[in-house]
Amino acid sequence: MAEELILLDEWLSMFGMRARIALAEKGIKYGYKEEDLDNKSQLLLQMNPIHKKIPVLIHKGKPIYPYHKSQEKFWADFVNKKIGDVGGRIWPGKRDEIEVAKKELIEGLKELENVLGDKPYFGGHTFGFVDIALIPFYSWFYTYEELCNFKVEAECDKLIAWAKRCKQRESVCKSVADEKEVYEYVVNYRKRFDLD
């Protein structure tokens, strides 16, 4: 089991100490790999590509989150921070701020598209938690495109195909805002506060 389970850690990390204590309390044997956080290993960057932090517990070549539920929560949180928070800096932002946020938004969207891959939904063939977390932001894509002068589809065509598939679901089409109405709201907001 120790070879199947690997802990990427750094001896000084309080979070790593928690993981080591928990594993010891459960009597779980594992292989330990010390990380140099100033020169992160390829394994760490591969197993935790977003945060690039330790500790990371790897079982049979996959990071444990406990896998599916924690992975869903991780990606829903990613959506909130990398799409929601970044998008929230675009629509009320000054022109110079928008350009910086645009780059971050595109990076976040591309990362999500990589996770989606060729699956119809983030959960595979089942519409699920991450899909529900991300699809409301689709109604803002047109606004981001207009303010940032780019096309999401040109950057992330699989993500747009996913969004169109989601919009065919009754629960989605009845719940998400119309993208043109969102844009009209933002234009009026920006005029009112003289942001252009």
Side-chain angles (χ1 to χ4, degrees), residues 52-77:
K52 302 172 179 71
K53 293 183 180 179
I54 49 97
V56 177
L57 194 58
I58 303 166
H59 182 251
K60 294 183 179 180
K62 291 188 176 185
I64 296 177
Y65 296 112
Y67 203 62
H68 294 295
K69 288 293 176 197
S70 291
Q71 192 174 38
E72 287 177 341
K73 289 178 183 176
F74 172 85
W75 288 110
D77 184 58

Side-chain angles (χ1 to χ4, degrees), residues 108-166:
L109 293 171
K110 284 184 176 186
E111 189 63 43
L112 286 166
E113 185 174 66
N114 286 338
V115 171
L116 177 64
D118 292 322
K119 302 182 301 267
Y121 300 106
F122 282 92
H125 292 288
T126 306
F127 181 78
F129 190 70
V130 180
D131 302 293
I132 293 168
L134 180 57
I135 195 59
F137 292 100
Y138 177 72
S139 59
W140 284 82
F141 285 6
Y142 179 73
T143 299
Y144 301 152
E145 290 174 339
E146 292 298 308
L147 292 175
C148 298
N149 194 29
F150 81 107
K151 293 290 182 201
V152 175
E153 191 163 19
E155 301 288 340
C156 302
D157 62 323
K158 288 180 184 178
L159 201 60
I160 294 300
W162 161 85
K164 289 177 180 176
R165 200 168 23 260
C166 290

Side-chain angles (χ1 to χ4, degrees), residues 166-178:
C166 290
K167 283 202 68 172
Q168 293 174 354
R169 303 181 70 82
E170 185 178 355
S171 63
V172 174
C173 72
K174 286 186 172 182
S175 301
V176 297
D178 178 79

Side-chain angles (χ1 to χ4, degrees), residues 84-107:
D85 292 352
V86 173
R89 291 187 356 240
I90 290 173
W91 68 270
K94 299 276 187 197
R95 286 286 160 206
D96 56 335
E97 298 165 344
I98 289 175
E99 200 54 39
V100 173
K102 168 189 168 182
K103 182 177 183 264
E104 291 177 44
L105 179 70
I106 291 171
E107 288 171 1

